[in-house]
Amino acid sequence: MKLEKESNLNTNKKSQSHLNTLPSDLSIKDIWLARLSDEPNQNRRLDQRSVFQRDKARVLHSAAFRRLQSKTQIHNNGLSDFYRTRLTHSLEVAQIGSGIIANLKKIQPEFKPLLPSYNLIETICLSHDIGHPPFGHGGETALNYMMADHGGFEGNGQTFRILTQLEQYTEHNGMNLTRRSLLGVLKYPLCLSELSAPYPENDTGNFRQLKASEWVPAKGIYDIDKGLLEDVLSPLCESDRLLFASTRTPENTCKQHLKSKYKSFDCSIMEIADDIAYGVHDLEDAIAMGIIHKTLWQEKVIPQLLEIKDFCLRDKIQSLTDNLFSTQHFKRKDAIGSLVNALITSINIQLVDKKFKEPLLAYNAYLDTAMFNVLEILKKFVLEYVIHSPDLQILEYRGQQIVMELFEAFESGPTRFLPEKARALWASYDGDVSRQQRVIADYISSLTDNHALRLHASLFSSNQTAPMIGEHAF
């Protein structure tokens, strides 16, 4: 979810020079509108929708998207019916993404040929979290630990896998979205083997003692899906493909995985929209639920915001604070709206690297320096005082244990416990242990938080009234 600081530095210098480097042709090649595989005539009379309208419909009507309604965003599902889930978060990211496009059309009309349509950016934003497992990043780390010897597990890689294979809209290519939609979802367009640092030796086999911070995955695509990644990127020339595969070592990480250096133009818009939703809307949830109080905000956040001289709301900090912590809901909404508006209207398009020949890679959207710093302050505040709070860490730990115990159970008896379709797929990979393990990971990652809890109770609870395991299509 994090924007990288180095990609947003020297913003003013870049924005002054971008017009001098604007190519004469920003048109998008037709191959980006094509799908990974041809589809037979589906007898849809007079379907006047664009390819991106159809992409959006496929995401919205997918089972994987619906399951986001019961997957953790930050606050564990079941504690309240107020806070955001992965589904409502994704809807808000899509709305922010559309707002960014509307503003860019107005302030930089010369880039209109490059800008994604509203349907395209909404498709990308709605899809971006579709691969997250139950219990948020805790579940992701748990599955990565269980899959460490079989290709690992990572939410963005799982998103790509769902879109291109698992969601049964087509027989073999999942939702079979257009290449441009898939390119926009690819935040990390490299395989995990090219990015992962070594993991520690684990001789204990004791889940309770697992140090989760040591098993946070690198961010990328599974090696077994490399062929599909290459298909998505096939419109790129060789020089663009090599440059797009550049890596760097991120700063301030507890584990030094490599990280891909570049992302597409559409993806950069989605990532900023995602960060805004995380930094502002998840802050709103924490305030409304009483996790963050006004005194803490005044002590930890306001002094930092006042140091940013170009912050457009700097002179309104006091009224903004009063409204954020007001007992009147409409005042809090006004403050949240002001923050989101200030961020959206501080975004501009800049040249990434003049060596790129493909316009979709040559340009990215960036926050200006002041608002980038504001968003970083908000995100770090949420991370430290909400996500890293003991209450949420206890819930995350619990979720990790549930995921690992479920995996161990399915691994010990796949033909006993897996539902019919997953069981048949597992059997079809007889002799290929890594692919069989991937089937288990695919199934567990598709579970909602509530379904995972019920399955765990069915397998391990001594309570005779524990619900039975039911069929689940994945």
Side-chain angles (χ1 to χ4, degrees):
M1 274 194 178
K2 295 184 182 299
L3 288 171
E4 299 303 323
K5 283 188 178 180
E6 52 266 47
S7 66
N8 283 271
L9 297 179
N10 301 319
T11 301
N12 294 331
K13 182 178 178 181
K14 283 186 177 181
S15 61
Q16 292 170 0
S17 62
H18 84 271
L19 286 175
N20 296 327
T21 57
L22 184 66
S24 57
D25 184 11
L26 286 173
S27 60
I28 305 303
K29 291 178 285 190
D30 288 343
I31 192 171
W32 289 114
L33 278 63
R35 304 184 185 280
L36 295 187
S37 63
D38 294 331
E39 296 179 359
N41 184 356
Q42 297 176 331
N43 298 317
R44 291 187 173 89
R45 290 185 68 244
L46 304 177
D47 189 347
Q48 302 300 317
R49 294 176 298 169
S50 71
V51 291
F52 299 128
Q53 284 177 306
R54 295 176 66 192
D55 280 1
K56 180 181 173 182
R58 293 180 185 194
V59 174
L60 278 172
H61 293 290
S62 68
F65 183 73
R66 288 196 300 276
R67 291 189 191 111
L68 296 180
Q69 67 187 300
S70 187
K71 288 195 177 185
T72 296
Q73 168 62 12
I74 286 183
H75 306 287
N76 189 262
N77 190 44
L79 293 179
S80 168
D81 60 1
F82 172 83
Y83 54 78
R84 291 160 171 87
T85 64
R86 286 276 175 192
L87 187 141
T88 56
H89 164 76
S90 298
L91 291 171
E92 289 177 336
V93 173
Q95 184 270 330
I96 293 170
S98 291
I100 293 171
I101 298 301
N103 190 63
L104 290 175
K105 281 183 177 180
K106 185 174 182 63
I107 66 171
Q108 291 179 288
E110 65 274 18
F111 282 101
K112 280 186 178 180
L114 183 62
L115 285 170
S117 68
Y118 292 118
N119 284 301
L120 172 56
I121 196 62
E122 287 170 7
T123 297
I124 294 167
C125 292
L126 292 170
S127 303
H128 83 284
D129 267 355
I130 212 167
H132 274 268
F135 310 115
H137 290 289
E140 178 185 53
T141 299
L143 281 173
N144 186 52
Y145 170 76
M146 301 304 291
M147 289 292 293
D149 295 329
H150 303 285
F153 182 91
E154 198 272 323
N156 297 282
Q158 194 67 19
T159 291
F160 184 75
R161 189 166 171 79
I162 289 170
L163 296 176
T164 59
Q165 296 174 75
L166 299 182
E167 185 66 35
Q168 295 180 335
Y169 189 92
T170 61
E171 185 176 3
H172 300 296
N173 283 112
M175 296 188 204
N176 200 27
L177 303 182
T178 59
R179 280 189 175 85
R180 184 166 178 182
S181 289
L182 292 171
L183 181 68
V185 177
L186 279 172
K187 293 173 68 173
Y188 312 102
L190 288 170
C191 291
L192 289 177
S193 63
E194 302 172 79
L195 302 165
S196 294
Y199 291 101
E201 293 291 333
N202 179 44
D203 299 325
T204 66
N206 187 341
F207 297 158
R208 300 289 190 265
Q209 297 178 11
L210 180 70
K211 295 181 180 179
S213 62
E214 296 179 345
W215 292 91
V216 174
K219 296 181 182 295
I221 304 301
Y222 305 136
D223 284 56
I224 60 170
D225 298 333
K226 185 176 182 178
L228 286 164
L229 174 63
E230 291 175 345
D231 196 347
V232 173
L233 301 180
S234 61
L236 300 178
C237 66
E238 183 65 18
S239 62
D240 276 3
R241 183 69 185 91
L242 289 173
L243 186 58
F244 199 45
S246 302
T247 62
R248 59 184 170 78
T249 302
E251 298 178 355
N252 302 322
T253 59
C254 56
K255 188 172 183 59
Q256 289 297 301
H257 296 303
L258 294 177
K259 195 170 184 179
S260 55
K261 187 175 182 180
Y262 298 110
K263 59 183 66 67
S264 72
F265 175 62
D266 301 336
C267 186
S268 71
I269 296 172
M270 174 270 284
E271 192 169 34
I272 293 176
D274 188 20
D275 273 26
I276 292 173
Y278 168 60
V280 180
H281 288 148
D282 291 343
L283 169 68
E284 179 186 11
D285 276 2
I287 292 172
M289 296 178 70
I291 297 172
I292 289 176
H293 299 282
K294 189 174 183 178
T295 302
L296 183 65
W297 169 269
Q298 290 173 320
E299 179 184 346
K300 301 296 183 181
V301 178
I302 288 181
Q304 295 185 73
L305 293 180
L306 289 175
E307 289 179 2
I308 303 174
K309 294 181 179 179
D310 294 330
F311 178 29
C312 59
L313 299 176
R314 189 168 180 265
D315 295 337
K316 300 178 181 178
I317 286 287
Q318 189 56 55
S319 62
L320 184 73
T321 297
D322 292 341
N323 285 344
L324 272 176
F325 293 90
S326 173
T327 56
Q328 296 179 290
H329 187 66
F330 73 91
K331 289 187 176 181
R332 184 182 304 136
K333 279 298 181 187
D334 180 71
I336 293 296
S338 295
L339 282 170
V340 172
N341 174 261
L343 288 160
I344 287 177
T345 55
S346 300
I347 297 167
N348 58 78
I349 302 168
Q350 301 166 21
L351 183 69
V352 175
D353 194 319
K354 64 182 180 181
K355 295 178 183 178
F356 278 122
K357 296 179 176 64
E358 171 57 59
L360 288 172
L361 304 186
Y363 294 90
N364 272 187
Y366 295 86
L367 280 161
D368 68 32
T369 303
M371 292 310 297
F372 172 80
N373 290 333
V374 168
L375 187 54
E376 283 294 299
I377 290 167
L378 297 180
K379 286 163 50 184
K380 289 177 181 177
F381 182 63
V382 171
L383 180 67
E384 182 174 357
Y385 293 100
V386 181
I387 296 175
H388 286 170
S389 68
D391 288 345
L392 263 68
Q393 287 300 301
I394 287 170
L395 291 173
E396 182 174 300
Y397 177 82
R398 178 190 180 214
Q400 287 172 342
Q401 301 304 310
I402 289 171
V403 166
M404 289 187 287
E405 289 174 359
L406 283 176
F407 196 104
E408 189 177 55
F410 287 124
E411 186 179 29
S412 69
T415 59
R416 298 172 64 196
F417 303 134
L418 286 174
E420 182 180 351
K421 290 180 181 178
R423 188 166 62 244
L425 188 58
W426 183 91
S428 72
Y429 292 133
D430 186 31
D432 190 336
V433 177
S434 289
R435 286 192 178 273
Q436 287 183 325
Q437 297 292 90
R438 183 62 62 188
V439 171
I440 297 173
D442 286 342
Y443 174 64
I444 292 177
S445 70
S446 73
L447 301 174
T448 64
D449 294 17
N450 289 335
H451 195 168
L453 287 166
R454 291 196 300 270
L455 279 176
H456 189 268
S458 297
L459 287 164
F460 299 107
S461 176
S462 60
N463 185 350
Q464 293 184 356
T465 62
M468 299 300 290
I469 296 177
E471 179 64 42
H472 172 75
F474 83 109

